[in-house]
Amino acid sequence: MSAVIALLAVAVALPDRNSLTTFDETNAAVRAYQLRSLTQFGSWSVEQVLCQRKPHTPTLGLSADPNLRPYPTTSPGVVTWSWPAYQVIWRIFDGKPPFHLTLNLLALSCVCLPLFLMVVFLARRWAQSAGPEAACFALIAAVAASPIYTFAGLFQDYVLATTLMMTGYLLATRPRAGAPSWVLSGLALSGSGAVNYLFFALLVAVVGFEWLRRRHKRLDPGRFLLFTTLGAMGP
């Protein structure tokens, strides 16, 4: 099991393993612009950062208001999540972090690392319920044969939102779960929506399904809903 997890980690963490990481990371770029703007100018606006960039600067994830001022169209969760890591990178490079290297470092620390902490959690749960061999097969399918493999090496929202959603579900459904697990579950589920707005719909589905299951089996559905909701108010 450990060997499978280690090999999967190496597979998704290899830099430039596909063409998606060689085109100036268009989806990830706007988040880097926001991090730099927050750090250098204390503003969520990316105008001043765009003025510092070259003419071919990627603009995917940006739009313009009626006054033609650019603004990001992405959810703010990834930027908020990666803020501490970016501060470390900013100081290491004395305020001049290389763009491409910075995005790789942010992807490794803020996307890949949380993903594999969740994978370890998931592996233990699956091994307990289905056995180690089935768990290994399921992990390979989930990580290497899904969009997770494509995007895990990039500083984008899909994998982080999926990781938080799956972690929240695992916490909500763990055996002998109680108030602490439910609060953390709500925090993770709501965090996935802060990273990608579409995941708020999944939050409602996951919590609703688990509430119905607990109501049917009389497993504290009211307390589950209360503490999960409290946790979800965090982000």
Side-chain angles (χ1 to χ4, degrees), residues 125-176:
R125 174 72 66 83
W126 283 348
Q128 290 172 356
S129 60
E133 292 184 358
C136 286
F137 179 81
L139 285 176
I140 293 171
V143 176
S146 75
I148 287 177
Y149 178 76
T150 303
F151 295 106
L154 303 176
F155 184 52
Q156 296 184 9
D157 59 16
Y158 169 75
V159 172
L160 182 57
T162 301
T163 297
L164 290 169
M165 177 61 63
M166 293 181 70
T167 300
Y169 176 76
L170 289 170
L171 288 167
T173 59
R174 67 184 303 185
R176 298 182 298 279

mmCIF file of all heavy atoms in Angstrom, residues 125-176:
data_model
loop_
_atom_site.group_PDB
_atom_site.id
_atom_site.type_symbol
_atom_site.label_atom_id
_atom_site.label_comp_id
_atom_site.label_asym_id
_atom_site.label_seq_id
_atom_site.Cartn_x
_atom_site.Cartn_y
_atom_site.Cartn_z
ATOM 1 N N ARG A 125 -9.116 3.812 4.917
ATOM 2 C CA ARG A 125 -10.550 3.522 4.974
ATOM 3 C C ARG A 125 -10.892 2.368 4.029
ATOM 4 O O ARG A 125 -11.626 1.449 4.402
ATOM 5 C CB ARG A 125 -11.345 4.770 4.603
ATOM 6 C CG ARG A 125 -12.850 4.542 4.489
ATOM 7 C CD ARG A 125 -13.506 4.336 5.842
ATOM 8 N NE ARG A 125 -13.439 5.539 6.625
ATOM 9 C CZ ARG A 125 -14.312 6.559 6.511
ATOM 10 N NH1 ARG A 125 -15.310 6.482 5.663
ATOM 11 N NH2 ARG A 125 -14.181 7.626 7.267
ATOM 12 N N TRP A 126 -10.398 2.436 2.793
ATOM 13 C CA TRP A 126 -10.701 1.374 1.829
ATOM 14 C C TRP A 126 -10.074 0.048 2.235
ATOM 15 O O TRP A 126 -10.664 -1.010 2.022
ATOM 16 C CB TRP A 126 -10.231 1.788 0.442
ATOM 17 C CG TRP A 126 -11.141 2.777 -0.214
ATOM 18 C CD1 TRP A 126 -12.391 3.134 0.206
ATOM 19 C CD2 TRP A 126 -10.875 3.539 -1.388
ATOM 20 N NE1 TRP A 126 -12.924 4.072 -0.640
ATOM 21 C CE2 TRP A 126 -12.028 4.334 -1.626
ATOM 22 C CE3 TRP A 126 -9.797 3.629 -2.259
ATOM 23 C CZ2 TRP A 126 -12.113 5.211 -2.718
ATOM 24 C CZ3 TRP A 126 -9.885 4.492 -3.339
ATOM 25 C CH2 TRP A 126 -11.025 5.271 -3.569
ATOM 26 N N ALA A 127 -8.869 0.080 2.796
ATOM 27 C CA ALA A 127 -8.225 -1.166 3.219
ATOM 28 C C ALA A 127 -9.018 -1.842 4.339
ATOM 29 O O ALA A 127 -9.114 -3.077 4.384
ATOM 30 C CB ALA A 127 -6.798 -0.881 3.680
ATOM 31 N N GLN A 128 -9.595 -1.042 5.227
ATOM 32 C CA GLN A 128 -10.387 -1.606 6.316
ATOM 33 C C GLN A 128 -11.680 -2.245 5.818
ATOM 34 O O GLN A 128 -12.127 -3.258 6.334
ATOM 35 C CB GLN A 128 -10.720 -0.511 7.339
ATOM 36 C CG GLN A 128 -9.521 -0.027 8.140
ATOM 37 C CD GLN A 128 -9.850 1.190 8.987
ATOM 38 O OE1 GLN A 128 -10.963 1.735 8.920
ATOM 39 N NE2 GLN A 128 -8.880 1.643 9.775
ATOM 40 N N SER A 129 -12.270 -1.652 4.784
ATOM 41 C CA SER A 129 -13.569 -2.129 4.314
ATOM 42 C C SER A 129 -13.478 -3.153 3.194
ATOM 43 O O SER A 129 -14.332 -4.039 3.094
ATOM 44 C CB SER A 129 -14.424 -0.950 3.838
ATOM 45 O OG SER A 129 -13.779 -0.274 2.768
ATOM 46 N N ALA A 130 -12.444 -3.072 2.360
ATOM 47 C CA ALA A 130 -12.381 -3.951 1.189
ATOM 48 C C ALA A 130 -11.105 -4.778 1.107
ATOM 49 O O ALA A 130 -10.983 -5.628 0.232
ATOM 50 C CB ALA A 130 -12.524 -3.124 -0.091
ATOM 51 N N GLY A 131 -10.128 -4.524 1.985
ATOM 52 C CA GLY A 131 -8.870 -5.247 1.930
ATOM 53 C C GLY A 131 -7.810 -4.466 1.188
ATOM 54 O O GLY A 131 -8.124 -3.609 0.346
ATOM 55 N N PRO A 132 -6.521 -4.736 1.453
ATOM 56 C CA PRO A 132 -5.438 -3.941 0.869
ATOM 57 C C PRO A 132 -5.340 -4.043 -0.649
ATOM 58 O O PRO A 132 -5.017 -3.056 -1.313
ATOM 59 C CB PRO A 132 -4.183 -4.489 1.554
ATOM 60 C CG PRO A 132 -4.583 -5.828 2.085
ATOM 61 C CD PRO A 132 -6.023 -5.727 2.414
ATOM 62 N N GLU A 133 -5.567 -5.231 -1.228
ATOM 63 C CA GLU A 133 -5.443 -5.376 -2.679
ATOM 64 C C GLU A 133 -6.491 -4.548 -3.406
ATOM 65 O O GLU A 133 -6.179 -3.841 -4.373
ATOM 66 C CB GLU A 133 -5.555 -6.853 -3.067
ATOM 67 C CG GLU A 133 -4.378 -7.704 -2.602
ATOM 68 C CD GLU A 133 -4.485 -9.141 -3.078
ATOM 69 O OE1 GLU A 133 -5.488 -9.476 -3.741
ATOM 70 O OE2 GLU A 133 -3.559 -9.927 -2.789
ATOM 71 N N ALA A 134 -7.734 -4.642 -2.954
ATOM 72 C CA ALA A 134 -8.792 -3.846 -3.577
ATOM 73 C C ALA A 134 -8.552 -2.359 -3.368
ATOM 74 O O ALA A 134 -8.817 -1.539 -4.259
ATOM 75 C CB ALA A 134 -10.150 -4.246 -3.001
ATOM 76 N N ALA A 135 -8.029 -2.004 -2.196
ATOM 77 C CA ALA A 135 -7.746 -0.597 -1.911
ATOM 78 C C ALA A 135 -6.675 -0.051 -2.850
ATOM 79 O O ALA A 135 -6.790 1.070 -3.350
ATOM 80 C CB ALA A 135 -7.316 -0.437 -0.464
ATOM 81 N N CYS A 136 -5.631 -0.823 -3.098
ATOM 82 C CA CYS A 136 -4.574 -0.399 -4.021
ATOM 83 C C CYS A 136 -5.122 -0.178 -5.420
ATOM 84 O O CYS A 136 -4.813 0.819 -6.080
ATOM 85 C CB CYS A 136 -3.457 -1.437 -4.051
ATOM 86 S SG CYS A 136 -2.413 -1.460 -2.584
ATOM 87 N N PHE A 137 -5.944 -1.108 -5.885
ATOM 88 C CA PHE A 137 -6.542 -0.976 -7.222
ATOM 89 C C PHE A 137 -7.410 0.270 -7.298
ATOM 90 O O PHE A 137 -7.358 1.029 -8.272
ATOM 91 C CB PHE A 137 -7.370 -2.218 -7.545
ATOM 92 C CG PHE A 137 -8.052 -2.160 -8.884
ATOM 93 C CD1 PHE A 137 -7.350 -2.467 -10.041
ATOM 94 C CD2 PHE A 137 -9.377 -1.784 -8.982
ATOM 95 C CE1 PHE A 137 -7.971 -2.393 -11.281
ATOM 96 C CE2 PHE A 137 -10.007 -1.706 -10.212
ATOM 97 C CZ PHE A 137 -9.310 -2.015 -11.367
ATOM 98 N N ALA A 138 -8.214 0.510 -6.254
ATOM 99 C CA ALA A 138 -9.094 1.672 -6.240
ATOM 100 C C ALA A 138 -8.304 2.971 -6.222
ATOM 101 O O ALA A 138 -8.675 3.949 -6.880
ATOM 102 C CB ALA A 138 -10.025 1.597 -5.029
ATOM 103 N N LEU A 139 -7.192 2.998 -5.472
ATOM 104 C CA LEU A 139 -6.367 4.208 -5.422
ATOM 105 C C LEU A 139 -5.758 4.521 -6.783
ATOM 106 O O LEU A 139 -5.739 5.674 -7.225
ATOM 107 C CB LEU A 139 -5.256 4.037 -4.391
ATOM 108 C CG LEU A 139 -5.646 4.135 -2.921
ATOM 109 C CD1 LEU A 139 -4.443 3.831 -2.046
ATOM 110 C CD2 LEU A 139 -6.217 5.497 -2.598
ATOM 111 N N ILE A 140 -5.258 3.497 -7.450
ATOM 112 C CA ILE A 140 -4.669 3.705 -8.781
ATOM 113 C C ILE A 140 -5.716 4.241 -9.744
ATOM 114 O O ILE A 140 -5.466 5.166 -10.526
ATOM 115 C CB ILE A 140 -4.060 2.389 -9.306
ATOM 116 C CG1 ILE A 140 -2.855 2.001 -8.444
ATOM 117 C CG2 ILE A 140 -3.647 2.526 -10.765
ATOM 118 C CD1 ILE A 140 -2.315 0.615 -8.737
ATOM 119 N N ALA A 141 -6.927 3.656 -9.688
ATOM 120 C CA ALA A 141 -8.001 4.119 -10.565
ATOM 121 C C ALA A 141 -8.402 5.551 -10.245
ATOM 122 O O ALA A 141 -8.613 6.371 -11.145
ATOM 123 C CB ALA A 141 -9.208 3.187 -10.439
ATOM 124 N N ALA A 142 -8.488 5.878 -8.955
ATOM 125 C CA ALA A 142 -8.950 7.205 -8.554
ATOM 126 C C ALA A 142 -7.942 8.300 -8.875
ATOM 127 O O ALA A 142 -8.316 9.409 -9.260
ATOM 128 C CB ALA A 142 -9.254 7.211 -7.051
ATOM 129 N N VAL A 143 -6.653 7.996 -8.742
ATOM 130 C CA VAL A 143 -5.627 9.037 -8.907
ATOM 131 C C VAL A 143 -5.030 9.040 -10.311
ATOM 132 O O VAL A 143 -4.856 10.106 -10.919
ATOM 133 C CB VAL A 143 -4.507 8.856 -7.858
ATOM 134 C CG1 VAL A 143 -3.392 9.877 -8.081
ATOM 135 C CG2 VAL A 143 -5.072 8.985 -6.454
ATOM 136 N N ALA A 144 -4.721 7.864 -10.849
ATOM 137 C CA ALA A 144 -3.996 7.798 -12.120
ATOM 138 C C ALA A 144 -4.899 7.648 -13.337
ATOM 139 O O ALA A 144 -4.444 7.839 -14.464
ATOM 140 C CB ALA A 144 -2.997 6.635 -12.087
ATOM 141 N N ALA A 145 -6.153 7.283 -13.141
ATOM 142 C CA ALA A 145 -7.062 7.076 -14.277
ATOM 143 C C ALA A 145 -8.243 8.031 -14.218
ATOM 144 O O ALA A 145 -9.352 7.683 -14.614
ATOM 145 C CB ALA A 145 -7.547 5.624 -14.295
ATOM 146 N N SER A 146 -8.003 9.227 -13.736
ATOM 147 C CA SER A 146 -9.060 10.226 -13.613
ATOM 148 C C SER A 146 -8.473 11.600 -13.924
ATOM 149 O O SER A 146 -7.248 11.746 -14.079
ATOM 150 C CB SER A 146 -9.630 10.211 -12.191
ATOM 151 O OG SER A 146 -8.724 10.827 -11.292
ATOM 152 N N PRO A 147 -9.309 12.631 -14.012
ATOM 153 C CA PRO A 147 -8.765 13.986 -14.225
ATOM 154 C C PRO A 147 -7.795 14.439 -13.139
ATOM 155 O O PRO A 147 -7.040 15.386 -13.351
ATOM 156 C CB PRO A 147 -10.031 14.861 -14.235
ATOM 157 C CG PRO A 147 -11.117 13.951 -14.689
ATOM 158 C CD PRO A 147 -10.784 12.613 -14.097
ATOM 159 N N ILE A 148 -7.818 13.781 -11.981
ATOM 160 C CA ILE A 148 -6.873 14.137 -10.927
ATOM 161 C C ILE A 148 -5.441 14.037 -11.449
ATOM 162 O O ILE A 148 -4.596 14.893 -11.177
ATOM 163 C CB ILE A 148 -7.071 13.227 -9.695
ATOM 164 C CG1 ILE A 148 -8.355 13.607 -8.965
ATOM 165 C CG2 ILE A 148 -5.877 13.334 -8.736
ATOM 166 C CD1 ILE A 148 -8.672 12.721 -7.783
ATOM 167 N N TYR A 149 -5.135 12.992 -12.216
ATOM 168 C CA TYR A 149 -3.774 12.822 -12.724
ATOM 169 C C TYR A 149 -3.372 13.982 -13.633
ATOM 170 O O TYR A 149 -2.243 14.460 -13.606
ATOM 171 C CB TYR A 149 -3.651 11.506 -13.487
ATOM 172 C CG TYR A 149 -2.275 11.314 -14.079
ATOM 173 C CD1 TYR A 149 -1.200 10.958 -13.270
ATOM 174 C CD2 TYR A 149 -2.036 11.536 -15.436
ATOM 175 C CE1 TYR A 149 0.077 10.813 -13.798
ATOM 176 C CE2 TYR A 149 -0.761 11.384 -15.966
ATOM 177 C CZ TYR A 149 0.285 11.028 -15.144
ATOM 178 O OH TYR A 149 1.546 10.892 -15.661
ATOM 179 N N THR A 150 -4.322 14.443 -14.438
ATOM 180 C CA THR A 150 -4.018 15.526 -15.379
ATOM 181 C C THR A 150 -3.717 16.836 -14.669
ATOM 182 O O THR A 150 -2.791 17.561 -15.039
ATOM 183 C CB THR A 150 -5.204 15.733 -16.344
ATOM 184 O OG1 THR A 150 -5.485 14.505 -17.018
ATOM 185 C CG2 THR A 150 -4.888 16.801 -17.367
ATOM 186 N N PHE A 151 -4.483 17.143 -13.623
ATOM 187 C CA PHE A 151 -4.410 18.471 -13.014
ATOM 188 C C PHE A 151 -3.657 18.533 -11.689
ATOM 189 O O PHE A 151 -3.434 19.630 -11.169
ATOM 190 C CB PHE A 151 -5.824 19.010 -12.805
ATOM 191 C CG PHE A 151 -6.570 19.260 -14.085
ATOM 192 C CD1 PHE A 151 -7.577 18.410 -14.494
ATOM 193 C CD2 PHE A 151 -6.246 20.331 -14.893
ATOM 194 C CE1 PHE A 151 -8.260 18.626 -15.679
ATOM 195 C CE2 PHE A 151 -6.922 20.566 -16.082
ATOM 196 C CZ PHE A 151 -7.934 19.711 -16.475
ATOM 197 N N ALA A 152 -3.261 17.386 -11.132
ATOM 198 C CA ALA A 152 -2.651 17.397 -9.796
ATOM 199 C C ALA A 152 -1.318 18.127 -9.767
ATOM 200 O O ALA A 152 -0.911 18.629 -8.724
ATOM 201 C CB ALA A 152 -2.474 15.969 -9.281
ATOM 202 N N GLY A 153 -0.617 18.201 -10.883
ATOM 203 C CA GLY A 153 0.665 18.883 -10.901
ATOM 204 C C GLY A 153 0.574 20.354 -11.215
ATOM 205 O O GLY A 153 1.591 21.017 -11.409
ATOM 206 N N LEU A 154 -0.651 20.882 -11.263
ATOM 207 C CA LEU A 154 -0.860 22.273 -11.635
ATOM 208 C C LEU A 154 -1.470 23.062 -10.484
ATOM 209 O O LEU A 154 -2.198 22.517 -9.661
ATOM 210 C CB LEU A 154 -1.784 22.372 -12.852
ATOM 211 C CG LEU A 154 -1.340 21.616 -14.098
ATOM 212 C CD1 LEU A 154 -2.398 21.718 -15.185
ATOM 213 C CD2 LEU A 154 -0.007 22.128 -14.614
ATOM 214 N N PHE A 155 -1.203 24.343 -10.456
ATOM 215 C CA PHE A 155 -1.732 25.218 -9.417
ATOM 216 C C PHE A 155 -3.129 25.677 -9.829
ATOM 217 O O PHE A 155 -3.351 26.823 -10.201
ATOM 218 C CB PHE A 155 -0.788 26.401 -9.211
ATOM 219 C CG PHE A 155 -1.197 27.320 -8.099
ATOM 220 C CD1 PHE A 155 -1.467 26.833 -6.832
ATOM 221 C CD2 PHE A 155 -1.302 28.683 -8.317
ATOM 222 C CE1 PHE A 155 -1.849 27.682 -5.799
ATOM 223 C CE2 PHE A 155 -1.672 29.546 -7.298
ATOM 224 C CZ PHE A 155 -1.954 29.040 -6.037
ATOM 225 N N GLN A 156 -4.077 24.746 -9.763
ATOM 226 C CA GLN A 156 -5.450 25.017 -10.168
ATOM 227 C C GLN A 156 -6.405 24.530 -9.086
ATOM 228 O O GLN A 156 -5.988 23.992 -8.060
ATOM 229 C CB GLN A 156 -5.746 24.361 -11.515
ATOM 230 C CG GLN A 156 -4.906 24.931 -12.660
ATOM 231 C CD GLN A 156 -5.279 24.337 -14.002
ATOM 232 O OE1 GLN A 156 -6.256 23.635 -14.134
ATOM 233 N NE2 GLN A 156 -4.466 24.631 -15.016
ATOM 234 N N ASP A 157 -7.701 24.712 -9.344
ATOM 235 C CA ASP A 157 -8.671 24.463 -8.282
ATOM 236 C C ASP A 157 -9.275 23.068 -8.270
ATOM 237 O O ASP A 157 -9.728 22.594 -7.230
ATOM 238 C CB ASP A 157 -9.793 25.499 -8.336
ATOM 239 C CG ASP A 157 -10.547 25.497 -9.663
ATOM 240 O OD1 ASP A 157 -10.419 24.529 -10.430
ATOM 241 O OD2 ASP A 157 -11.263 26.479 -9.935
ATOM 242 N N TYR A 158 -9.309 22.368 -9.398
ATOM 243 C CA TYR A 158 -10.072 21.121 -9.476
ATOM 244 C C TYR A 158 -9.620 20.089 -8.449
ATOM 245 O O TYR A 158 -10.428 19.538 -7.696
ATOM 246 C CB TYR A 158 -9.980 20.534 -10.890
ATOM 247 C CG TYR A 158 -10.522 19.126 -10.979
ATOM 248 C CD1 TYR A 158 -11.887 18.886 -10.954
ATOM 249 C CD2 TYR A 158 -9.663 18.030 -11.057
ATOM 250 C CE1 TYR A 158 -12.391 17.594 -11.011
ATOM 251 C CE2 TYR A 158 -10.161 16.741 -11.109
ATOM 252 C CZ TYR A 158 -11.517 16.532 -11.085
ATOM 253 O OH TYR A 158 -12.003 15.255 -11.123
ATOM 254 N N VAL A 159 -8.333 19.802 -8.415
ATOM 255 C CA VAL A 159 -7.832 18.741 -7.534
ATOM 256 C C VAL A 159 -7.971 19.142 -6.071
ATOM 257 O O VAL A 159 -8.359 18.325 -5.222
ATOM 258 C CB VAL A 159 -6.367 18.397 -7.876
ATOM 259 C CG1 VAL A 159 -5.778 17.444 -6.842
ATOM 260 C CG2 VAL A 159 -6.298 17.779 -9.262
ATOM 261 N N LEU A 160 -7.685 20.387 -5.741
ATOM 262 C CA LEU A 160 -7.807 20.836 -4.352
ATOM 263 C C LEU A 160 -9.264 20.776 -3.892
ATOM 264 O O LEU A 160 -9.553 20.313 -2.784
ATOM 265 C CB LEU A 160 -7.266 22.259 -4.209
ATOM 266 C CG LEU A 160 -7.284 22.849 -2.796
ATOM 267 C CD1 LEU A 160 -6.517 21.963 -1.818
ATOM 268 C CD2 LEU A 160 -6.712 24.261 -2.810
ATOM 269 N N ALA A 161 -10.183 21.213 -4.749
ATOM 270 C CA ALA A 161 -11.604 21.150 -4.394
ATOM 271 C C ALA A 161 -12.056 19.703 -4.231
ATOM 272 O O ALA A 161 -12.798 19.370 -3.301
ATOM 273 C CB ALA A 161 -12.443 21.843 -5.462
ATOM 274 N N THR A 162 -11.611 18.824 -5.125
ATOM 275 C CA THR A 162 -11.958 17.401 -5.029
ATOM 276 C C THR A 162 -11.387 16.792 -3.758
ATOM 277 O O THR A 162 -12.047 15.999 -3.075
ATOM 278 C CB THR A 162 -11.433 16.639 -6.260
ATOM 279 O OG1 THR A 162 -12.001 17.210 -7.446
ATOM 280 C CG2 THR A 162 -11.809 15.173 -6.201
ATOM 281 N N THR A 163 -10.155 17.148 -3.439
ATOM 282 C CA THR A 163 -9.516 16.634 -2.225
ATOM 283 C C THR A 163 -10.297 17.041 -0.979
ATOM 284 O O THR A 163 -10.572 16.225 -0.100
ATOM 285 C CB THR A 163 -8.071 17.159 -2.126
ATOM 286 O OG1 THR A 163 -7.314 16.649 -3.235
ATOM 287 C CG2 THR A 163 -7.420 16.726 -0.830
ATOM 288 N N LEU A 164 -10.664 18.314 -0.893
ATOM 289 C CA LEU A 164 -11.416 18.790 0.267
ATOM 290 C C LEU A 164 -12.799 18.143 0.333
ATOM 291 O O LEU A 164 -13.278 17.787 1.416
ATOM 292 C CB LEU A 164 -11.549 20.310 0.210
ATOM 293 C CG LEU A 164 -10.256 21.094 0.454
ATOM 294 C CD1 LEU A 164 -10.448 22.572 0.106
ATOM 295 C CD2 LEU A 164 -9.788 20.943 1.894
ATOM 296 N N MET A 165 -13.449 17.967 -0.820
ATOM 297 C CA MET A 165 -14.761 17.341 -0.840
ATOM 298 C C MET A 165 -14.690 15.889 -0.359
ATOM 299 O O MET A 165 -15.504 15.448 0.474
ATOM 300 C CB MET A 165 -15.341 17.405 -2.259
ATOM 301 C CG MET A 165 -16.697 16.721 -2.434
ATOM 302 S SD MET A 165 -18.019 17.436 -1.410
ATOM 303 C CE MET A 165 -18.097 19.099 -2.079
ATOM 304 N N MET A 166 -13.722 15.138 -0.853
ATOM 305 C CA MET A 166 -13.587 13.737 -0.458
ATOM 306 C C MET A 166 -13.186 13.613 1.010
ATOM 307 O O MET A 166 -13.664 12.728 1.726
ATOM 308 C CB MET A 166 -12.570 13.038 -1.363
ATOM 309 C CG MET A 166 -13.024 12.913 -2.800
ATOM 310 S SD MET A 166 -11.821 12.049 -3.857
ATOM 311 C CE MET A 166 -11.949 10.378 -3.234
ATOM 312 N N THR A 167 -12.324 14.513 1.468
ATOM 313 C CA THR A 167 -11.938 14.507 2.883
ATOM 314 C C THR A 167 -13.144 14.799 3.769
ATOM 315 O O THR A 167 -13.350 14.144 4.804
ATOM 316 C CB THR A 167 -10.836 15.536 3.146
ATOM 317 O OG1 THR A 167 -9.694 15.223 2.346
ATOM 318 C CG2 THR A 167 -10.420 15.533 4.615
ATOM 319 N N GLY A 168 -13.947 15.768 3.365
ATOM 320 C CA GLY A 168 -15.150 16.083 4.124
ATOM 321 C C GLY A 168 -16.109 14.907 4.188
ATOM 322 O O GLY A 168 -16.701 14.625 5.239
ATOM 323 N N TYR A 169 -16.252 14.211 3.078
ATOM 324 C CA TYR A 169 -17.145 13.037 3.059
ATOM 325 C C TYR A 169 -16.603 11.928 3.957
ATOM 326 O O TYR A 169 -17.351 11.298 4.712
ATOM 327 C CB TYR A 169 -17.292 12.533 1.633
ATOM 328 C CG TYR A 169 -18.120 11.260 1.540
ATOM 329 C CD1 TYR A 169 -19.507 11.312 1.655
ATOM 330 C CD2 TYR A 169 -17.509 10.021 1.358
ATOM 331 C CE1 TYR A 169 -20.266 10.154 1.587
ATOM 332 C CE2 TYR A 169 -18.265 8.862 1.302
ATOM 333 C CZ TYR A 169 -19.644 8.939 1.407
ATOM 334 O OH TYR A 169 -20.391 7.789 1.359
ATOM 335 N N LEU A 170 -15.299 11.694 3.898
ATOM 336 C CA LEU A 170 -14.702 10.650 4.730
ATOM 337 C C LEU A 170 -14.854 10.972 6.215
ATOM 338 O O LEU A 170 -15.108 10.084 7.035
ATOM 339 C CB LEU A 170 -13.222 10.487 4.375
ATOM 340 C CG LEU A 170 -12.922 9.847 3.013
ATOM 341 C CD1 LEU A 170 -11.438 9.973 2.684
ATOM 342 C CD2 LEU A 170 -13.326 8.381 2.996
ATOM 343 N N LEU A 171 -14.695 12.246 6.566
ATOM 344 C CA LEU A 171 -14.860 12.643 7.967
ATOM 345 C C LEU A 171 -16.311 12.496 8.421
ATOM 346 O O LEU A 171 -16.585 12.087 9.550
ATOM 347 C CB LEU A 171 -14.408 14.087 8.162
ATOM 348 C CG LEU A 171 -12.898 14.333 8.107
ATOM 349 C CD1 LEU A 171 -12.605 15.824 7.999
ATOM 350 C CD2 LEU A 171 -12.212 13.752 9.334
ATOM 351 N N ALA A 172 -17.241 12.817 7.540
ATOM 352 C CA ALA A 172 -18.657 12.735 7.898
ATOM 353 C C ALA A 172 -19.119 11.301 8.090
ATOM 354 O O ALA A 172 -20.001 11.028 8.909
ATOM 355 C CB ALA A 172 -19.506 13.410 6.819
ATOM 356 N N THR A 173 -18.520 10.377 7.339
ATOM 357 C CA THR A 173 -19.001 8.989 7.348
ATOM 358 C C THR A 173 -18.099 8.040 8.121
ATOM 359 O O THR A 173 -18.353 6.838 8.103
ATOM 360 C CB THR A 173 -19.135 8.474 5.903
ATOM 361 O OG1 THR A 173 -17.851 8.545 5.245
ATOM 362 C CG2 THR A 173 -20.142 9.308 5.118
ATOM 363 N N ARG A 174 -17.078 8.557 8.762
ATOM 364 C CA ARG A 174 -16.167 7.661 9.472
ATOM 365 C C ARG A 174 -16.888 6.966 10.627
ATOM 366 O O ARG A 174 -17.799 7.530 11.230
ATOM 367 C CB ARG A 174 -14.944 8.422 9.996
ATOM 368 C CG ARG A 174 -15.252 9.421 11.085
ATOM 369 C CD ARG A 174 -14.025 10.205 11.502
ATOM 370 N NE ARG A 174 -12.946 9.350 11.947
ATOM 371 C CZ ARG A 174 -11.805 9.783 12.454
ATOM 372 N NH1 ARG A 174 -11.596 11.090 12.569
ATOM 373 N NH2 ARG A 174 -10.878 8.955 12.849
ATOM 374 N N PRO A 175 -16.498 5.725 10.948
ATOM 375 C CA PRO A 175 -17.137 5.019 12.061
ATOM 376 C C PRO A 175 -16.934 5.772 13.374
ATOM 377 O O PRO A 175 -15.883 6.360 13.615
ATOM 378 C CB PRO A 175 -16.390 3.671 12.085
ATOM 379 C CG PRO A 175 -15.842 3.510 10.702
ATOM 380 C CD PRO A 175 -15.514 4.894 10.239
ATOM 381 N N ARG A 176 -17.952 5.790 14.183
ATOM 382 C CA ARG A 176 -17.928 6.450 15.495
ATOM 383 C C ARG A 176 -17.594 7.945 15.386
ATOM 384 O O ARG A 176 -16.954 8.522 16.253
ATOM 385 C CB ARG A 176 -16.934 5.758 16.440
ATOM 386 C CG ARG A 176 -17.281 4.305 16.734
ATOM 387 C CD ARG A 176 -16.290 3.691 17.700
ATOM 388 N NE ARG A 176 -14.936 3.674 17.159
ATOM 389 C CZ ARG A 176 -14.490 2.749 16.309
ATOM 390 N NH1 ARG A 176 -15.275 1.771 15.911
ATOM 391 N NH2 ARG A 176 -13.250 2.774 15.881
#
